[in-house]
Amino acid sequence: MSRRALITGITGQDGSYLAEHLLDLGYEVWGLVRGQANPHVSRLRKHIGDVQITTGDLLDQGSLISAVERVQPDEVYNLGAISYVPMSWQQAELTAEVTGMGVLRMLEAIRVVSGISPSRTPGREQIRFYQASSSEMFGMVRETPQNEKTPFHPRSPYGVAKSYGHYITQNYRESYGMFAVSGILFNHESPRRGAEFVTRKVSLGAARIKLGLAKELRLGNLDARRDWGYAGDYARAMRMMLAQDSPEDYVIGTGQTQSVRELVEFAFRTAGLNWEDHVVLDAKYTRPAEVDLLCADPKRAREQLGWEPEVTFEGLVTMMVESDLRLLAESARPEDEPFSPDHW
């Protein structure tokens, strides 16, 4: 019999790639969405295929218990979050509730449905849980590159909320014997990335200028460096973590960094443009507390999971710019694309 997976955040970038990957492996895939009339579901099905949907909300404990009872999953992937870092300062309390406490609620739903308690530990066929942790937890980094033992010093409400989710996942693993793991994923991008994220903002900006739809692109800090990879590669790593004999947390990244300036330069060159003719620095895009450098040490994932990224930084940026050129040539409304930034 095929395995059954439940994915929160299925209408977002990561959820869509994970759903595709699991379907290719023969899984029965369910997505958790808020509300019956979510417009992104039909678009998701059009692009991804045979995905089943159940309703639930990371703010509502009862709805999560009902969803887990209905689906009876073998695996739960908690990708749902308010994941745009700058917004986390504007909606700090909601970010804490969804991105932090939402993890606890999903773990509790699994525990309750499975009948797990301090006196009743789970069996071999227990529900396996994956939590989407983030490199933003490292924040003001203590060492470079960052590995599974590097201390956290988050620099945003988002990073703080993700840190809580990471630690509560670890706590349920140690307290109840649950198969619960966290993937500490570094920045991962794709043509499905929301337009508010800097990588997609750059690829869309370059495409708009190339097609004569805009004249300039306004950005903030060009010196911040990130470890950027392809979201499809990182979806493979999520499933690999739940396929192991024992639960462990893993850092997932490329081990290489580029600056925002290098991202901009390569994206504009791909579009046949000189970035210095079009990019304008704007202080309003500067974060209240900046994270200057994030770089992964993916040694454990490479040695224990056998995971390696397949798409290079240059290949990723080329993919995104070419995709946005096609998208804008067909429609000047990228907001009509199927993958929602509001995916919790």
Side-chain angles (χ1 to χ4, degrees), residues 213-322:
L213 301 174
K215 293 183 178 180
E216 67 178 27
L217 173 63
R218 306 184 79 85
L219 296 171
N221 180 12
L222 298 184
D223 296 320
R225 301 187 67 86
R226 292 292 186 271
D227 184 330
W228 276 302
Y230 171 54
D233 286 339
Y234 290 47
R236 289 189 294 108
M238 298 176 194
R239 189 263 169 183
M240 287 178 171
M241 293 181 210
L242 292 195
Q244 300 304 297
D245 292 334
S246 59
E248 291 190 49
D249 302 330
Y250 292 90
V251 161
I252 302 296
T254 70
Q256 300 177 358
T257 67
Q258 288 81 25
S259 67
V260 177
R261 191 185 310 275
E262 290 171 293
L263 165 68
V264 171
E265 181 179 4
F266 191 82
F268 275 71
R269 189 190 316 151
T270 300
L273 301 167
N274 180 357
W275 72 274
E276 293 178 307
D277 294 336
H278 304 283
V279 173
V280 177
L281 298 184
D282 190 332
K284 79 176 183 179
Y285 295 113
T286 302
R287 296 181 181 183
E290 184 60 82
V291 176
D292 295 317
L293 171 64
L294 293 173
C295 181
D297 176 3
K299 180 180 179 181
R300 176 187 284 184
R302 183 172 60 248
E303 294 180 350
Q304 296 186 16
L305 300 179
W307 178 85
E308 292 277 2
E310 295 178 356
V311 177
T312 64
F313 172 77
E314 292 78 11
L316 170 64
V317 177
T318 299
M319 178 195 310
M320 294 178 68
V321 172
E322 291 179 348

Side-chain angles (χ1 to χ4, degrees), residues 85 88-89 92 95-96 99-101 134 136-139 152-167:
V85 176
S88 73
W89 278 281
T95 299
T99 306
M101 289 296 292
S134 169
E136 289 285 334
M137 300 185 305
F138 294 121
F152 298 153
H153 188 148
R155 297 267 283 169
S156 66
Y158 170 81
V160 173
K162 279 291 186 181
S163 299
Y164 174 84
H166 182 88
Y167 281 127

Side-chain angles (χ1 to χ4, degrees), residues 72-140:
Q72 293 293 308
D74 299 292
E75 300 170 3
V76 172
Y77 295 85
N78 186 47
L79 312 185
I82 293 178
S83 56
Y84 183 47
V85 176
M87 186 183 294
S88 73
W89 278 281
Q90 301 167 21
Q91 297 182 310
E93 182 178 358
L94 183 61
T95 299
E97 285 288 347
V98 175
T99 306
M101 289 296 292
V103 186
L104 171 62
R105 294 186 188 104
M106 183 54 80
L107 285 164
E108 269 293 284
I110 294 170
R111 187 188 68 79
V112 169
V113 172
S114 302
I116 298 169
S117 69
S119 60
R120 186 179 182 276
T121 57
R124 288 180 55 84
E125 299 305 316
Q126 65 170 299
I127 298 172
R128 297 189 170 203
F129 175 80
Y130 171 86
Q131 164 59 16
S133 288
S134 169
S135 60
E136 289 285 334
M137 300 185 305
F138 294 121
M140 186 180 291

